[in-house]
Amino acid sequence: MVASALPHEFPVDVAQDDIDFMGHVNNASYLKWVQAAVIDHWQRFAPTDVVGQHLWVALKHEITYRRPAFLDDEVVATVLLEKVHGARAFYETVIKRGSEVLAEVKSSWCCLDAETLKPARLAQNVIDRFFVKEA
């Protein structure tokens, strides 16, 4: 049996303060969008009580920029959880305007216990909620 990640679409609001001196979205805004999209993904699929017990910290982002985004563009970030290993989660996020890929992001995150702020492993039944099993 194969498991496939459940995609999560996160609409992005391109704001005036995202625009840089060249008239398009500043690269730093993409990081802000990825963080918001990944956290929204976590909150959507994880049980509410588990969400309250855990925090996520980004460890690494690798961004490939394909096209610029502009003010008032309709942008969507699609998030996929690739795998979980220990307290680390590995994500792929694709940021698009319609069918145009604006950026592709590979990122790794560390799950923390909300009380102790130490790395925390997630139970397998929580991880399974982010995937669909296929025959």
Side-chain angles (χ1 to χ4, degrees), residues 27-62:
N27 290 356
S29 291
Y30 287 85
L31 293 174
K32 176 179 68 172
W33 297 346
V34 168
Q35 180 161 330
V38 167
I39 297 302
D40 193 66
H41 176 258
W42 163 249
Q43 292 171 343
R44 171 145 188 270
F45 290 109
T48 306
D49 60 322
V50 175
V51 169
Q53 297 168 1
H54 297 88
L55 304 171
W56 289 94
V57 176
L59 300 174
K60 182 179 183 178
H61 294 294
E62 293 177 22

Side-chain angles (χ1 to χ4, degrees), residues 6 10 17 20-21 23 61 65 89 97 99 109-110 118 121:
L6 291 167
F10 179 79
D17 64 346
D20 65 14
F21 66 95
H61 294 294
Y65 298 99
R97 173 183 50 232
S99 62
W109 298 74
C110 183
K118 292 184 179 182
R121 291 175 182 254

Side-chain angles (χ1 to χ4, degrees), residues 3-8 41 45 79-83 130-132 134:
S4 295
L6 291 167
H8 176 63
H41 176 258
F45 290 109
V79 178
L80 290 173
L81 175 60
E82 294 182 315
K83 69 178 180 176
F130 293 83
F131 297 90
V132 62
E134 300 173 354

Side-chain angles (χ1 to χ4, degrees), residues 105-123:
V105 185
K106 296 277 194 177
S107 57
S108 62
W109 298 74
C110 183
C111 181
L112 301 177
D113 179 284
E115 229 177 90
T116 66
L117 301 181
K118 292 184 179 182
R121 291 175 182 254
L122 294 172

